[in-house]
Amino acid sequence: QGYYTRGGGIGESGDFVTSPEISQIFGELIGIWCISEWIATGKPKAFQLVELGPGRGTLTEDILRVFNQLASLLSKCDVSIHLVEVSPKLSEIQALMLTGGKVQSNPEDKSAYMKVVSKTGVPIFWYRDIQDVPPGYSFYLAHEFFDALPIHKFQRTEKGWREVLVDIDPEVPDQLRFVLSPSSTPATENFIQPEETRDHVEVCPDAGVIIQRLACRIEKDGGAALVADYGHDGTKTDTFRGFRNHKLHDVLRAPGTADLTADVDFSYLRKMTQGRTVTLGPIKQREFLKNMGIDLRLQVLLQNSDDTAIREQLLHSYDMLMNPKKMGDCFNFFALLPHHRLAHPDKKQKPESKSTLPPVAGFGELLLK
């Protein structure tokens, strides 16, 4: 009966709207990012684009359009799309969007539960778990994915750390309430770091497990992961909230009918890579998109359109993505890359023979951690 299992309310008519739904430019720039990294690592003969929680499939569709426009560049490369999606309803919506309505799914590959061919002829596979995605050089995308995973909440008290739990309200039997655990819980023992200075902490162990899996895969097979989400670098406290019809919603009311979200703790993700990969960011969405050339792309689209309504829509969506008060500062970009991608040049070399490794698109070099 889960929220996403039944379809999840993405879009204007739903509970929340995401960047790919606002503007085609967002997905196009992420497609360019993947190709830029593919070129920087010597144009391997095949790559997989793996998206975690692909929503309605809009981001993948925009990326596929870029791949199609750059078909001559990718002509010798075997490209495939792999979507990790647990919701039967959403996978149907994705398949219809990406094929233009021709869905015949009978995968010979047992790990995938559905297989289709995109409008542009690229094979697309669906899986319920990241571990089912075949190994290989891959770009992993997680856009507004980690914020939807379940969290543990903890509160510092005079008696030490206590976990915040959900209980039935004895005064109103059909309502839920938050309570503090009477004593320490296994989660308190395992998830609170001894050096923690905050009084309220949210931890998402599922995010830690998934990041570890991505880091292991990138270390072994190459590629990269790009995470875009609400988040902070280990500084925020209570961020757990609900959205229904684009308005804030009490998380304990009518469970399963609203989008629940908590800001992603990027410092926790960085820690969970355990040094297997380099991490870049988090940097603000507006910085990442600016570095990726959003202004240039906007100008081209504006020049190509005589329709006033389309031009207004382009400017409005640009403002939504870039304005610090809207999405520009709320969302962050964070990447995992193999160590050899950013290996420092040999110190003994002459200063003028700097490393020939191209910089990572979208990220300033100062953000290397």
Side-chain angles (χ1 to χ4, degrees):
Q1 290 299 303
Y3 177 75
Y4 286 106
T5 317
R6 293 178 311 176
I10 308 170
E12 294 292 336
S13 61
D15 301 311
F16 62 97
V17 68
T18 62
S19 297
E21 304 287 335
I22 287 170
S23 172
Q24 67 179 72
I25 305 179
F26 184 85
E28 289 171 348
L29 295 178
I30 291 188
I32 297 291
W33 189 85
C34 295
I35 287 182
S36 159
E37 274 308 293
W38 172 72
I39 293 169
T41 47
K43 301 185 185 171
K45 296 225 170 3
F47 76 71
Q48 304 185 145
L49 180 75
V50 183
E51 192 182 353
L52 311 181
R56 297 201 299 197
T58 313
L59 179 58
T60 295
E61 183 178 49
D62 290 339
I63 291 171
L64 278 171
R65 191 171 57 253
V66 168
F67 289 178
N68 194 46
Q69 284 165 346
L70 299 173
S72 56
L73 184 64
L74 291 165
S75 61
K76 293 189 174 69
C77 183
D78 183 13
V79 178
S80 56
I81 307 289
H82 303 260
L83 304 178
V84 180
E85 179 58 76
V86 293
S87 165
K89 184 91 167 81
L90 283 173
S91 58
E92 257 174 59
I93 294 169
Q94 293 151 12
L96 286 170
M97 175 170 273
L98 296 169
T99 60
K102 303 185 290 292
V103 181
Q104 285 178 316
S105 63
N106 41 355
E108 308 83 66
D109 173 3
K110 288 290 175 276
S111 59
Y113 65 83
M114 185 158 77
K115 178 192 174 182
V116 301
V117 176
S118 80
K119 288 176 253 194
T120 53
V122 177
I124 307 174
F125 304 84
W126 276 261
Y127 311 85
R128 289 191 177 84
D129 193 302
I130 182 121
Q131 285 170 291
D132 297 333
V133 176
Y137 179 92
S138 305
F139 294 109
Y140 299 94
L141 300 179
H143 179 266
E144 283 203 56
F145 170 76
F146 285 108
D147 72 86
L149 298 175
I151 55 163
H152 286 268
K153 283 174 85 64
F154 306 96
Q155 182 75 45
R156 196 194 292 272
T157 71
E158 287 164 13
K159 298 175 189 161
W161 284 98
R162 294 291 180 262
E163 187 167 5
V164 179
L165 304 170
V166 177
D167 184 22
I168 291 170
D169 191 332
E171 315 254 311
V172 197
D174 61 346
Q175 276 186 28
L176 300 171
R177 62 171 184 164
F178 286 120
V179 293
L180 287 180
S181 60
S183 56
S184 185
T185 61
T188 320
E189 304 293 326
N190 284 304
F191 297 135
I192 297 290
Q193 303 297 321
E195 67 275 12
E196 186 55 69
T197 56
R198 290 171 286 175
D199 291 333
H200 191 108
V201 175
E202 297 167 335
V203 179
C204 178
D206 288 19
V209 170
I210 290 167
I211 275 289
Q212 279 185 348
R213 286 184 183 148
L214 295 181
C216 290
R217 281 170 166 250
I218 291 165
E219 181 183 43
K220 190 167 165 283
D221 301 320
L226 190 62
V227 177
D229 225 315
Y230 293 100
H232 58 91
D233 216 5
T235 53
K236 286 193 182 174
T237 54
D238 179 15
T239 71
F240 182 41
R241 59 206 184 280
F243 285 99
R244 194 168 173 185
N245 298 324
H246 303 272
K247 291 189 182 72
L248 280 169
H249 173 86
D250 176 352
V251 291
L252 297 182
R253 259 187 45 228
T257 63
D259 170 47
L260 301 183
T261 180
D263 283 16
V264 178
D265 181 345
F266 290 106
S267 69
Y268 174 70
L269 298 189
R270 187 182 301 117
K271 200 176 287 159
M272 296 309 280
T273 62
Q274 296 171 321
R276 290 192 172 96
T277 58
V278 173
T279 62
L280 293 173
I283 67 169
K284 302 286 182 212
Q285 172 165 298
R286 65 190 166 92
E287 287 179 55
F288 178 84
L289 296 177
K290 205 171 242 333
N291 293 344
M292 287 302 301
I294 188 170
D295 296 335
L296 200 61
R297 181 69 184 131
L298 175 71
Q299 290 312 317
V300 170
L301 289 171
L302 288 171
Q303 282 162 13
N304 290 346
S305 177
D306 299 329
D307 187 323
T308 315
I310 290 176
R311 291 167 67 92
E312 273 176 18
Q313 175 55 34
L314 283 166
L315 291 165
H316 170 73
S317 57
Y318 173 88
D319 181 60
M320 277 290 286
L321 294 178
M322 299 293 282
N323 189 324
K325 294 191 174 69
K326 295 178 184 172
M327 288 174 149
D329 275 2
C330 294
F331 285 89
N332 295 274
F333 275 77
F334 179 79
L336 308 185
L337 297 145
H339 283 289
H340 59 75
R341 171 66 181 89
L342 289 154
H344 290 291
D346 185 353
K347 296 281 186 289
K348 289 178 206 146
Q349 288 182 339
K350 296 187 183 110
E352 62 268 20
S353 61
K354 282 192 177 159
S355 167
T356 53
L357 290 168
V360 178
F363 291 89
E365 292 189 42
L366 296 174
L367 290 144
L368 178 57
K369 283 190 180 167

